[in-house]
Structure formats: structure tokens, C-alpha cells
Amino acid sequence: MPLIEHLRELRNRLAKGVLAILAVTIVALVYSQDLMQFITQSVPKCGPGQTSDGGNCAIVSFNTLMAPFSVTIQLSLTAGLVVSSPIWLYQLWAFVAPGLHRNEKKYTYAFVGAAVPLFAMGAYLAYMILPVSVKVLISLTPEGSANILSLGDVLDFTLRMVLVFGLAFELPLVLVMLNLTGVLSGKTMVKWWRGVIMGVFVFGAVITPTTDPVGMLALSGPIVVLYFLAVGFSLLNDKRRRRNNPDAALDDDEASDLDLTPEPLGHEVEPVSAARMLPEQSGTKGPKQLNGYDDIT
């Protein structure tokens, strides 16, 4: 299509995606109170007649006059983006797909089909660990101090945990895609396993603010297992690639091995007729030189 037609199609698909987000956001505004209760479930809230002192409980509040409105809009818009993601992601894919080759489409389908469940697993794990993390953080409050939490801060902390856990579960998939494109080999991943395991456990200890090892193991353990699954897949893929193309593992400036062993002829040698002689050399018994040479050369 001409450039104007491409821009018109992009405008139409963006409009469809925005309308889907707005429609879900309006529905989320209607149920905003229920969404707030769902977000604040991880916070040990103080009951009727209970006072926050130290780390026993917390009070969820709004700190400014505009906070209830802004937090409601932020929460509803976040729900609209998440719930309507299949629609606007499909519009984006429908715009890009005509320019891709068949193999590129196949890899894209495989990537999306694996990325969505992995991100959902990480998000669900974050939501399960979130109450423990909040309880540990609140327990650090000294005696005589009250925990008054802003709902906006609780929402930001929840979204940050969900995004970090979800993206962390995408690490093995990224390694597999790098191996499929030839950027990273399975042998290199095997060499990195000690550093990767150390980095994953340090990351799990930092991102989960619990003092016990349960939270760290809950995040680091699945990522390590997924990493070794990615290593196994990469090794098998490298083996298949070498079988189909022995020179696939060579660098761009590295020469391939050439087999210079002569092959057997497999049949008798045919006789070759003697070269013709010049008239001056014919009729002589022995070789006669002509200008210092014995033959026609």
C-alpha cells in the first residue's frame, strides 16, 4: 500500500485499541471500590477500635484532597490497560504482521504463546508473596509510631512487584530467543550457570523484603529451573544446527575445514594419445630438439 494508506490503517487500529482501553476503564470506574479492596488485601488493616502502634496493623488513607480522585483514575486506567491488552495487542500485531515472513510469524506466535503464561505465573507468585512482604515491612515500625499508608503508595508497590516478578520469569524465554537467532549458544549458557544462579538468588533476596528465605526461594527457585530448561533447549538446538550445517558455529572471519583428501577414481585409467609432433620432428628415431625443446611445447 502507499504510505498514506499505511498511516490511515495505523490510525484506525490505534483508535480501536484506545476505544477498548476507554471502555474497560469506564467499567473499572464503576467497580473502583471493589478494585481498591482487592489491592489493599495484602495490607493488615486495623480493625474497628484498633490503633496502629508499631507493626501490629496499618491505616490506609488519602494524604491530599485530590488523592481519592487521582488514585481512582490511576487504578481504573491500569485495569483498563491490563484487561483490554488482548484487543490492543491484536491491533498492533495485525498492523505489523503483513510485513513479516512466514518464519518470523512462526517465531512471534511461539514467543507470545510462551511469554503470556510465564508473565502470568510471575504476577500470580508476586500476588501470593505480597502479603508476607507487606507484613515484614510494617513490622519494622518502632513502638510508639503508627503506620499510615497512602493508597497510591500501596498501588505503586503492588504494580512494581507484579511487573518485576513477571519480567523476571521472561528471562529464560529471552535466552531461548537469543539462541534461536544465533546470538547466544547453549555452551556459553552452561559456562555462565554459576554466575546466573548467584545473580538470581541475590536478585530474589533484594526484591523480596522478607527476612526468611521462603520469599527468596519462591522467586529464585522457579527462575533457576526455567534457566536450566532454556539451557537444555539451547543445547539441543545447537546440536540440530550443527547436524544440518557443520559450519553454523563458525565466526564470520573463521574459515571452515576443507577435506583435501583425493578420492579414488573407481575405474581403470584411460590411455591418452601422444601429443602431435611438428613436421621437423616426425620421421626421427629419437627425440629431436627444436629450439631447445624436445616436444611440441
Side-chain angles (χ1 to χ4, degrees), residues 80-90:
L81 286 171
V82 173
V83 177
S84 66
S85 58
I87 299 177
W88 56 264
L89 283 176
Y90 169 77

Side-chain angles (χ1 to χ4, degrees), residues 27-207:
V27 175
L29 284 172
V30 178
Y31 298 96
S32 59
Q33 296 296 325
D34 297 332
L35 290 176
M36 289 183 185
Q37 292 293 331
F38 178 76
I39 292 296
T40 57
Q41 281 183 356
S42 59
V43 180
K45 294 182 287 294
C46 297
Q50 187 178 8
T51 303
S52 175
D53 185 13
N56 61 336
C57 62
I59 300 174
V60 180
S61 65
F62 296 100
N63 298 331
T64 61
L65 182 62
M66 292 296 296
F69 175 77
S70 61
V71 171
T72 302
I73 295 297
Q74 181 184 2
L75 182 59
S76 302
L77 185 59
T78 302
L81 286 171
V82 173
V83 177
S84 66
S85 58
I87 299 177
W88 56 264
L89 283 176
Y90 169 77
Q91 297 298 326
L92 179 62
W93 168 252
F95 178 75
V96 176
L100 299 178
H101 298 289
R102 182 177 301 176
N103 290 336
E104 294 171 341
K105 291 182 181 180
K106 181 179 65 176
Y107 287 141
T108 304
Y109 286 137
F111 182 83
V112 174
V116 174
L118 287 175
F119 187 87
M121 289 171 54
Y124 178 76
L125 183 61
Y127 189 77
M128 296 298 295
I129 295 178
L130 199 59
V132 180
S133 301
V134 173
K135 186 176 180 180
V136 170
L137 292 175
I138 290 179
S139 65
L140 300 177
T141 305
E143 296 292 334
S145 300
N147 283 296
I148 302 177
L149 307 179
S150 171
L151 184 58
D153 294 339
V154 175
L155 176 60
D156 292 339
F157 181 76
T158 303
L159 292 178
R160 190 180 302 113
M161 289 285 291
V162 169
L163 288 176
V164 168
F165 274 60
L167 293 177
F169 271 62
E170 302 292 341
L171 172 63
L173 182 60
V174 173
L175 295 177
V176 169
M177 294 303 295
L178 290 176
N179 178 261
L180 290 175
T181 55
V183 177
L184 190 62
S185 64
K187 188 180 296 185
T188 303
M189 296 184 196
V190 173
K191 294 179 181 179
W192 291 355
W193 74 272
R194 293 181 179 86
V196 170
I197 292 179
M198 184 66 184
V200 167
F201 275 93
V202 171
F203 173 77
V206 172
I207 202 62

